[in-house]
Amino acid sequence: MKNSYTTLHRNLDNRIHTLEKETHPNQTLITDLKKQKLKLKDSINEQLDLFLDNEKERKYKQLQSMIHTQKRRDKKKRQERKKRLYAQLRKDKVSLSG
């Protein structure tokens, strides 16, 4: 996109101010430009809302992934501790019986 929404909005605003400064301003043109400016502002807000929603969803997924990863690590650590404990118990049993 060559011109961003904010640049177009600013240009419309400047044009409106220029037209309002004229000795005999064309009110219909100014009104039309103001309507365009409002539509553009709505579009900007919609894009911003969409971006924020996507960003929120991305952060949520990232957090869920981190939690899942941590749970897998914790489970693996518990399994390793359990294996070491059973190995130690077997070793102790063998040394007691032998």
Side-chain angles (χ1 to χ4, degrees):
M1 185 166 30
K2 188 174 183 180
N3 290 325
S4 68
Y5 285 145
T6 52
T7 304
L8 292 172
H9 188 270
R10 192 177 319 117
N11 290 342
L12 280 172
D13 196 36
N14 291 337
R15 189 160 176 216
I16 291 168
H17 285 293
T18 304
L19 288 171
E20 288 176 337
K21 289 179 185 179
E22 290 180 359
T23 53
H24 302 291
N26 183 348
Q27 288 302 323
T28 55
L29 178 61
I30 292 173
T31 304
D32 289 343
L33 290 175
K34 285 184 177 183
K35 286 179 184 178
Q36 282 181 1
K37 185 178 158 188
L38 283 173
K39 285 181 184 177
L40 197 56
K41 184 175 181 182
D42 287 343
S43 295
I44 292 169
N45 288 335
E46 286 175 11
Q47 292 292 325
L48 183 61
D49 288 345
L50 182 62
F51 171 76
L52 292 176
D53 288 345
N54 288 342
E55 190 65 17
K56 190 185 293 185
E57 185 176 338
R58 186 184 68 79
K59 290 284 186 179
Y60 177 77
K61 286 180 180 179
Q62 184 181 21
L63 182 62
Q64 291 292 57
S65 174
M66 289 169 58
I67 290 170
H68 181 70
T69 302
Q70 187 61 42
K71 283 182 177 181
R72 280 187 292 163
R73 281 189 203 127
D74 291 347
K75 184 176 180 180
K76 191 173 182 179
K77 283 181 183 179
R78 285 192 305 272
Q79 288 173 341
E80 288 172 359
R81 268 190 242 128
K82 195 173 181 180
K83 283 180 184 178
R84 283 194 306 266
L85 179 65
Y86 284 132
Q88 186 64 39
L89 287 173
R90 276 186 256 132
K91 184 179 175 185
D92 290 345
K93 257 187 186 179
V94 169
S95 63
L96 288 176
S97 63

